[in-house]
Amino acid sequence: MVTARLKGTKIFQKLVSNLDNPAAIRRIAARTRRNTPENIFKILRYAQRKNPLWVFRLLTSDHPANREILDHFMRHHDADMRTLAADLARAGHSTEATQLFRQLGGNYRQVFTPSYVLAWTGELLCYDIAEKAFLQTKRHIPERGAPVILTEDGLYAFTPAGLIPLACQIQQDGLCFSIHTENGHLSARPDGTVAPVSHVMDWEKFCILQYQQT
């Protein structure tokens, strides 16, 4: 992390100029490590589980350094930024989650109903009727199956032919909920799949993302 930042930089020149001063070299290396985007992102990722709104406000503030960090994460940490947006939605910050999803996907008009089921990965839950299998979108675009929506009557697959009821139950837990099928609780995976498990952790639970129309 540190050495990758040294090639052809003023930092390397400072190190060479302080070869006879080990304490100064340690200070320069420590400062370089703390200020690397990778290290900053590790700190933010740790903080977002406890306070995603604080992380969002920090990244989206008008400070030039924060803008540079956000632009870097948008380019290189797309999946992690979607997780941050999902954490915002799970905490009830739908407006901020929508803003972040728009920055990730482009400033186009959103044409979504306000009841899609959102996984911790930042992707929407889908259902493949032919294979009778749950899966996830990719950047909120269904590659297979139809998006799953939640109504007062339960979960449905939102297909061009209409709403198709899904044989599963939800267990509400505040703003989040778990989904139980005959095979177990649904758990979204980082690779885009959804697998049944015997028990779900809090972070595996789903929530509703309500897009703000533009």
Side-chain angles (χ1 to χ4, degrees), residues 162-175:
L163 299 182
I164 297 179
L166 301 178
C168 49
Q169 299 177 339
I170 66 170
Q171 296 178 0
Q172 198 73 34
D173 182 15
L175 294 172

Side-chain angles (χ1 to χ4, degrees), residues 47-203:
Q48 81 178 53
R49 288 294 180 186
K50 295 184 177 180
N51 196 336
L53 185 60
W54 178 85
V55 175
F56 171 81
R57 288 173 175 170
L58 178 66
L59 290 174
T60 56
S61 69
D62 294 332
H63 195 283
N66 293 351
R67 169 49 57 184
E68 182 180 352
I69 292 172
L70 179 61
D71 291 342
H72 174 83
F73 293 157
M74 290 291 186
R75 292 192 302 270
H76 303 290
H77 299 276
D78 179 89
D80 291 297
M81 294 302 288
R82 290 181 181 277
T83 302
L84 172 59
D87 286 339
L88 287 166
R90 288 161 61 88
H93 307 298
S94 297
T95 300
E96 289 80 4
T98 299
Q99 179 181 336
L100 190 51
F101 277 130
R102 284 205 182 106
Q103 288 180 270
L104 290 163
N107 292 318
Y108 50 84
R109 181 179 177 84
Q110 301 285 356
V111 190
F112 293 104
T113 60
S115 56
Y116 283 117
V117 177
L118 181 72
W120 68 269
T121 57
E123 294 297 338
L124 304 175
L125 184 65
C126 289
Y127 184 75
D128 190 319
I129 300 171
E131 297 185 12
K132 297 182 179 180
F134 287 93
L135 58 153
Q136 302 174 59
T137 56
K138 185 174 182 179
R139 301 193 178 195
H140 286 196
I141 298 175
E143 293 189 321
R144 291 169 42 211
V148 175
I149 67 170
L150 178 65
T151 72
E152 295 180 354
D153 301 322
L155 291 171
Y156 291 82
F158 186 51
T159 74
L163 299 182
I164 297 179
L166 301 178
C168 49
Q169 299 177 339
I170 66 170
Q171 296 178 0
Q172 198 73 34
D173 182 15
L175 294 172
C176 302
F177 55 89
S178 58
I179 300 176
H180 184 74
T181 69
E182 60 181 5
N183 296 319
H185 294 277
L186 296 185
S187 174
R189 304 297 186 179
D191 62 0
T193 61
V194 178
V197 295
S198 60
H199 176 74
V200 289
M201 305 295 289
D202 286 341
W203 57 269

